[in-house]
Amino acid sequence: MIALALSILSSTMIFVVFKLFSRFKINTMHAIVMNYITACFCGIIFQKSAINLTEIPQYAWFPFALGLGALFITVFNLMAITTQRSGLSVVSVATKMSVVIPIFFGLLYYKESLGLFKLIGIILALAAVYLASLKTRDGLKIKPSNLFFPILVFLGSGVIDTTIKYLEGEFIAKNDIPIFSATIYGMAAILGFFLLIFQASKGNFKFQFRNVLGGIALGIPNYFSVYFLVQSLRSGIFDSSGIFTVNNVAIVMFSTLLGILLFKEKLLLKNWVGIGLAILGILFIALEKW
């Protein structure tokens, strides 16, 4: 339970840091690259056993970690495009609704149980994510020509969570979680550097120290969001479908509440209904376990 709570807290802090980027005029792309560097160093620092860099490519999870690193930064850029074309609510819904992919993976691949309480909880959770993420009265408005991008965000986010679950169950030793995470973020940082070099070649790059600070502030909770997610998947408190559902819906719920407390956001009635459904969804999933 502690690991799941810390995973939710870490992911919620990512939301807070992102919200502060616009206030302090931080370049998101530049901060994202620094965020990956910070998260990589966190993994190296928290690895308890000695690290031999030449041995890392020999781990069975290594090629998967490289793929995840590439997917991390690809999905981020897709999220940025989707935000520009369709708005933040569309990105939020696409990202969090992607929880259905690891849920179905757990049910089909690991033969996890799907009792009545869990089914009701998952349905309530998905409804909660949708309602809590809508910040306009008109709902989601997506031009048919832009639909491709939120679909890619949905698939990419779901594949990331599913792959983490698969690797946690099949390949990652308990003491190797930090270096596994560091490898993912290290790959994402390398690809990010290439993007910055490309920007510099076009004359669009300008170094600003506040972007470095923003990246560090983002990288620390980003690292721990993955670290504690893996730990919670191993905790046994819920099976993976329950963990992913509770994790995602709680992040949306607490992020929405923090938006009110810290940023004076005003919620619509459907947002409050979403928060209520989120609480009910978590309770139903907990009832399934106990």
Side-chain angles (χ1 to χ4, degrees):
M1 180 62 81
I2 295 176
L4 180 57
L6 290 174
S7 175
I8 294 167
L9 176 62
S10 300
S11 296
T12 305
M13 289 306 299
I14 293 174
F15 158 80
V16 174
V17 174
F18 266 126
K19 289 287 289 186
L20 292 173
F21 276 9
S22 58
R23 178 176 298 181
F24 292 100
K25 298 180 179 179
I26 291 173
N27 184 298
T28 303
M29 184 61 213
H30 298 177
I32 280 290
V33 176
M34 189 63 209
N35 139 81
Y36 289 135
I37 296 172
T38 303
C40 179
F41 274 106
C42 284
I44 294 172
I45 291 170
F46 287 102
Q47 178 70 17
K48 294 180 180 179
S49 59
I51 301 173
N52 187 335
L53 295 179
T54 60
E55 293 180 357
I56 293 177
Q58 299 176 20
Y59 285 105
W61 49 255
F62 180 74
F64 294 98
L66 295 184
L68 278 174
L71 196 55
F72 267 40
I73 198 161
T74 300
V75 170
F76 164 74
N77 282 286
L78 288 170
M79 290 170 65
I81 294 171
T82 304
T83 301
Q84 293 166 1
R85 296 189 176 210
S86 304
L88 191 59
S89 293
V90 174
V91 171
S92 182
V93 171
T95 303
K96 297 306 176 188
M97 293 292 277
S98 69
V99 71
V100 299
I101 297 177
I103 286 175
F104 279 115
F105 178 77
L107 295 173
L108 297 175
Y109 186 81
Y110 291 107
K111 310 298 182 183
E112 295 175 354
S113 63
L114 183 61
L116 179 61
F117 284 139
K118 183 194 284 188
L119 178 61
I120 294 173
I122 290 173
I123 293 172
L124 289 174
L126 293 175
V129 167
Y130 180 78
L131 292 173
S133 300
L134 296 179
K135 302 304 181 185
T136 63
R137 297 184 184 279
D138 298 329
L140 298 180
K141 287 188 175 182
I142 310 173
K143 294 181 179 179
S145 58
N146 294 331
L147 188 60
F148 181 65
F149 295 103
I151 289 175
L152 288 180
V153 170
F154 171 84
L155 293 174
S157 299
V159 169
I160 286 173
D161 285 344
T162 302
T163 306
I164 288 174
K165 167 56 191 170
Y166 174 73
L167 295 177
E168 175 273 326
E170 303 292 336
F171 294 112
I172 306 172
K174 181 177 181 181
N175 294 331
D176 291 336
I177 296 175
I179 194 62
F180 165 72
S181 303
T183 305
I184 295 174
Y185 291 122
M187 181 61 180
I190 291 171
L191 294 176
F193 267 122
F194 281 114
L195 289 175
L196 293 184
I197 291 171
F198 177 77
Q199 283 188 352
S201 68
K202 298 291 184 180
N204 297 326
F205 178 81
K206 181 182 179 182
F207 177 81
Q208 293 177 313
F209 188 65
R210 63 171 175 260
N211 297 333
V212 175
L213 294 178
I216 294 172
L218 181 63
I220 295 173
N222 197 7
Y223 166 77
F224 283 109
S225 67
V226 173
Y227 176 82
F228 286 120
L229 176 61
V230 175
Q231 294 283 23
S232 63
L233 286 168
R234 295 184 167 182
S235 66
I237 183 173
F238 303 120
D239 52 27
S240 68
S241 56
I243 290 289
F244 281 116
T245 303
V246 172
N247 187 67
N248 277 29
V249 74
I251 291 167
V252 171
M253 181 176 67
F254 286 115
S255 297
T256 302
L257 292 174
L258 280 178
I260 301 171
L261 296 174
L262 300 180
F263 304 106
K264 309 302 180 184
E265 292 182 355
K266 297 192 180 296
L267 298 189
L268 302 173
L269 176 61
K270 54 190 169 187
N271 301 141
W272 286 111
V273 173
I275 292 174
L277 291 179
I279 296 171
L280 284 176
I282 293 172
L283 288 175
F284 270 100
I285 292 171
L287 286 172
E288 175 75 16
K289 180 69 176 179
W290 291 300

